Amino acid sequence: MAQNLIWGIDLGGTKVEGVVLRSPDANDVAARLRIDTEADKGYEHVLGQISRLCSELAAIVGTQPHQIGIGTPGSISPTTGLMRNSNTLCLNGKPLHKDLENLLQIPVHIANDANCFALAEATLGIVPEKLSRFESVFGVIMGTGVGGGVVFGTPSGEALLINGKQGIGGEWGHNFLDESGGACYCGKTGCVETILSGTGLQKYYAQISGRKDSLKAIYQRYKEGTDPHATATIDRLIYFFGKAIANIVNILDPDAIILGGGVGNIAELYTLGALEAKKYIFNNNPEILLLRPKLGDSAGVFGAAMLSFGNKG
């Protein structure tokens, strides 16, 4: 039984969450815990929090992990082995993967949060409910930033996460979309993230209205039809979402696309956004299956667990 347990940890900026599954089923949880990340105390302390969480989970299930999957903000560079692009700044430039394997003394499988989201929804979430099998699915997180992940389905029914040669597989948020998005933190201009993220939408609304507001409030006024600036903001989102997601369809042609994050809650993306995308898809009768995620904020930790499922370590 101990050999069959599936262990995962979701390392976030404010919390570290761990889960132990008895089987690859989101309802078959043997243990689940959250503790604070306490990133302000530094890198070594974060490592200690991960180790502590593993110990507390092991005490509940009565056995130590033989391997573990860990989802992280940012990603490990295949070239240097160092963490990069993490909003938990103390992780950047650190050999997180190597240090965790040394600390825990077990194989560790790491992927970024968007990849974990895609893997979780493809294996334990909404995709199995909608599709009996798939060749590929694309998972999108549109929140403060924009990320993405690609999962391939193998002939044997396994799910294979695509990291890519440079570790940037699925990084849809940093494709060029339009100059009007302005400068992106990555150093480029007009990235998908600058236009389709919640941050980008709020920035655009402030530019045209002269006042700041939350995306939730902007979207509510859009639905009420009481604010032309809110209407312009959401209309622009739908227009550029169509263009951006059509690029994914034209390149990958996935069986399904799952829209996560706060922006993914905007209902019009699944209707008007899909119609907009079809204008740019290379097919006379284009099809696009946009799905709402099932696992919510649990996707990260379940996806982390699935990183190690079926992996021999």
Side-chain angles (χ1 to χ4, degrees):
M1 177 63 179
Q3 291 279 357
N4 295 328
L5 292 175
I6 307 166
W7 295 66
I9 286 180
D10 181 23
L11 174 59
T14 59
K15 56 86 179 172
V16 189
E17 182 174 7
V19 71
V20 182
L21 301 175
R22 298 183 189 90
S23 68
D25 183 333
N27 296 312
D28 199 9
V29 175
R32 188 172 180 182
L33 288 174
R34 286 186 180 187
I35 62 174
D36 292 337
T37 307
E38 299 177 347
D40 59 312
K41 296 182 180 179
Y43 175 69
E44 296 295 335
H45 184 78
V46 173
L47 293 180
Q49 291 296 83
I50 294 171
S51 179
R52 171 191 157 191
L53 185 58
C54 284
S55 296
E56 292 184 7
L57 289 168
I60 294 173
V61 299
T63 185
Q64 296 291 326
H66 295 275
Q67 60 179 329
I68 194 165
I70 298 183
T72 62
S75 63
I76 303 290
S77 167
T79 304
T80 65
L82 304 180
M83 179 62 70
R84 61 189 178 182
N85 299 330
S86 175
N87 54 14
T88 303
L89 299 180
C90 68
L91 302 180
N92 287 323
K94 303 293 187 180
L96 181 65
H97 193 178
K98 178 182 177 181
D99 287 346
L100 283 173
E101 290 200 325
N102 288 337
L103 179 64
L104 301 176
Q105 291 295 296
I106 55 174
V108 173
H109 311 281
I110 287 183
N112 70 30
D113 48 7
N115 283 351
C116 287
F117 166 79
L119 185 60
E121 291 293 344
T123 55
L124 306 181
I126 190 62
V127 173
E129 289 189 4
K130 301 294 184 180
L131 301 172
S132 59
R133 57 172 296 171
F134 64 85
E135 188 174 52
S136 68
V137 298
F138 187 70
V140 175
I141 296 180
M142 294 187 294
T144 304
V146 173
V150 182
V151 179
F152 284 173
T154 68
S156 61
E158 295 176 317
L160 178 64
L161 183 64
I162 304 302
N163 288 306
K165 180 180 179 180
Q166 301 170 89
I168 58 173
E171 282 292 354
W172 177 60
H174 295 282
N175 283 332
F176 174 77
L177 182 54
D178 192 80
E179 293 284 353
S180 65
C184 182
Y185 82 89
C186 73
K188 301 179 180 64
T189 299
C191 291
V192 168
E193 181 167 304
T194 65
I195 297 175
L196 300 188
S197 67
T199 305
L201 292 167
Q202 289 170 177
K203 179 181 177 182
Y204 179 76
Y205 178 81
Q207 287 175 342
I208 63 174
S209 70
R211 61 182 185 274
K212 295 182 179 181
D213 216 333
S214 68
L215 178 59
K216 183 177 180 180
I218 294 166
Y219 180 52
Q220 182 60 38
R221 290 198 293 273
Y222 165 83
K223 290 192 293 183
E224 293 168 352
T226 58
D227 181 349
H229 301 301
T231 298
T233 299
I234 302 303
D235 284 349
R236 179 175 181 267
L237 163 66
I238 292 166
Y239 171 74
F240 279 116
F241 171 81
K243 283 194 165 186
I245 212 71
N247 286 334
I248 295 300
V249 177
N250 285 335
I251 294 170
L252 185 62
D253 198 12
D255 295 87
I257 299 172
I258 311 104
L259 305 182
V263 179
N265 291 325
I266 293 177
E268 285 76 10
L269 293 179
Y270 299 86
T271 54
L272 301 178
L275 289 173
E276 194 67 33
K278 288 180 179 181
K279 298 177 183 178
Y280 307 102
I281 293 173
F282 184 58
N283 191 5
N284 292 332
N285 186 26
E287 296 182 16
I288 178 172
L289 178 60
L290 300 177
L291 299 176
R292 294 179 182 272
K294 176 183 176 182
L295 299 172
D297 65 0
S298 299
V301 73
F302 287 133
M306 294 306 291
L307 289 173
S308 65
F309 177 66
N311 199 312
K312 296 180 181 180

